[in-house]
Amino acid sequence: MQLAHSNDRLASRMPVDSTAGGEPEVESSVIEWLLHDDQVMRECFTHAAEILKSVTGAAITAIVLLDEEYQHYRAEVGMAMPLVTRARSLADYAVRDADLFVIEDAHNDSRFGDCMLVKRHPFVRFYAAIALRAPNGEIVGALCAMDPAPGRLDAGQRGVFYHLRAMIENDLKMRTATAIDPLTQLYNRRFLLETIARRWKEARDGDVMGSVVVDVDWFKQYNDTYGHQAGDHCLRLVASVMQAAADSEHFVVGRMGGEEFGLVVLDAQRSMLEDTLETLRQGVADLAIEHRASPLGVVTVSIGASLTCISDLSRPAHRDGFASADRALYRSKHNGRNRVTMA
């Protein structure tokens, strides 16, 4: 079955959901994970794009992922696609739709005149996409097909978009269940350690890798005083501060277990890392979570960090980086807690 090309002068699309404008951004931990090459999901994306190309006959099919600034291509079939700002992407229009989004001829719709794929190679005219959602319902990107000639979809081709979306979202649900800590929605210990090992292996000689360990001060006493339900709520609030820091600096953050968290930092610079970790420490204190069993009166964190310049000798030693950060954390605790210590 091939894409039915058309000379129709009017672009067609499904009705816009008027509530979609308030769509919350996807959790960055999921986007970060997908952007950094989870192999299982990459294979799922590739199969979906290949099937979509076979069914529609479109010149290009792909999965696109959307963060706040950019549209990132994954599993392109037909040609390698350039990085595009989200504001000038077709996918940003597509994910506002409640349903399948179709442009039969972008040249006949002034809304798309500034879109990069329309203005420049591959000079897209036909475009169809359907939004993809994380297990919590938030948008991560879209499955799309595009062509430099006008076109339309028949009912069978439209149905394939829905079936492939169901397949991708089901795989995403199963995969995130093995990667995300259910309490904090950060990476879990296993996936964080896998990510750390891979990042160190892929780093170039001369890159500086930062390893960070964060521990909630007097947390056992907090649980004993307020109960485990309050303790879980406390950990979720602390995790939200760490996720915000990770978002701003492109860290990878996860829960190591209990009240301990880990971060890995690419292209780390000592002064910037110290400033960011100090902001993180202060951010937790600013939550002003009452802690009567702490001499400080509120929940705080102690932080240890180390920097490693990647070389042939240090590349296999990602555990050494965190061992050094853990020793720095011990010094933070020994010196009064609620502080950042660099190795």
Side-chain angles (χ1 to χ4, degrees):
M1 184 185 302
Q2 297 296 303
L3 184 71
H5 290 295
S6 166
N7 293 319
D8 292 352
R9 299 188 59 81
L10 295 178
S12 68
R13 57 180 292 179
M14 301 297 287
V16 176
D17 181 355
S18 61
T19 65
E23 188 75 51
E25 292 294 334
V26 70
E27 288 181 12
S28 297
S29 57
V30 177
I31 282 288
E32 177 75 10
W33 162 50
L34 291 173
L35 285 175
H36 288 91
D37 210 15
D38 179 76
Q39 187 60 36
V40 173
M41 289 310 301
R42 178 171 281 273
E43 290 177 4
C44 172
F45 291 165
T46 299
H47 291 317
E50 291 278 8
I51 292 168
L52 190 63
K53 182 172 175 60
S54 176
V55 169
T56 65
I60 305 159
T61 56
I63 303 292
V64 296
L65 301 174
L66 295 170
D67 61 21
E68 291 186 5
E69 297 183 28
Y70 291 101
Q71 168 186 277
H72 305 265
Y73 282 95
R74 289 294 180 271
E76 309 100 302
V77 179
M79 67 173 287
M81 301 296 289
L83 184 69
V84 176
T85 60
R86 179 168 180 166
R88 301 183 70 185
S89 72
L90 292 170
D92 191 48
Y93 284 95
V95 297
R96 300 175 200 175
D97 244 271
D99 221 319
L100 179 63
F101 174 87
V102 180
I103 308 167
E104 292 188 353
D105 191 348
H107 289 191
N108 294 330
D109 194 319
S110 60
R111 292 175 299 168
F112 311 118
D114 197 42
C115 290
M116 295 296 292
L117 295 181
V118 177
K119 290 180 63 175
R120 300 180 184 177
H121 187 76
F123 303 105
V124 168
R125 297 182 71 174
F126 168 81
Y127 182 87
I130 194 164
L132 301 173
R133 295 178 179 270
N136 65 358
E138 293 176 297
I139 290 170
V140 293
L143 169 67
C144 64
M146 61 194 86
D147 201 279
R152 62 163 66 98
L153 296 174
D154 62 31
Q157 292 165 332
R158 286 175 177 267
V160 168
F161 275 89
Y162 294 100
H163 289 302
L164 290 176
R165 175 170 69 178
M167 179 189 77
I168 293 167
E169 291 182 348
N170 186 61
D171 282 5
L172 185 56
K173 181 178 181 179
M174 290 189 293
R175 184 61 173 152
T176 53
T178 66
I180 304 298
D181 173 57
L183 177 65
T184 63
Q185 295 300 299
L186 303 177
Y187 289 144
N188 61 27
R189 177 184 179 88
R190 176 182 175 182
F191 194 83
L192 179 64
L193 293 176
E194 289 175 355
T195 301
I196 291 167
R198 185 175 69 249
R199 294 293 183 86
W200 278 58
K201 181 179 179 181
E202 294 173 351
R204 297 168 298 181
D205 286 351
D207 285 351
V208 177
M209 192 75 71
S211 304
V212 182
V213 182
V214 180
D215 192 82
V216 181
D217 296 325
W218 293 287
F219 188 70
K220 180 182 182 300
Q221 292 85 344
Y222 185 91
N223 269 339
D224 291 344
T225 303
Y226 298 96
H228 288 283
Q229 185 173 358
D232 287 350
H233 182 62
C234 172
L235 290 178
R236 283 193 290 268
L237 292 175
V238 171
S240 70
V241 174
M242 285 192 288
Q243 186 63 69
D247 292 347
S248 65
E249 302 295 337
H250 303 292
F251 295 177
V252 179
V253 59
R255 184 184 181 196
M256 301 294 286
E259 69 274 23
E260 187 172 87
F261 302 85
L263 299 91
V264 60
V265 186
L266 304 178
D267 299 325
Q269 299 179 24
R270 188 180 185 91
S271 60
M272 292 180 63
L273 181 58
E274 284 183 305
D275 289 346
T276 299
L277 295 179
E278 178 60 29
T279 298
L280 189 160
R281 182 203 64 79
Q282 187 62 52
V284 173
D286 288 345
L287 293 171
I289 303 170
E290 181 187 82
H291 190 349
R292 294 193 302 271
S294 164
L296 301 173
V298 296
V299 170
T300 58
V301 293
S302 296
I303 301 173
S306 69
L307 296 175
T308 305
C309 184
I310 299 298
S311 66
D312 288 340
L313 292 177
S314 65
R315 193 178 304 280
H318 63 274
R319 292 183 179 84
D320 293 346
F322 273 84
S324 179
D326 205 50
R327 290 191 292 270
L329 172 66
Y330 177 81
R331 293 201 299 274
S332 284
K333 289 184 170 292
H334 182 74
N335 291 328
R337 311 195 187 200
N338 188 32
R339 64 188 64 232
V340 177
T341 301
M342 298 287 295

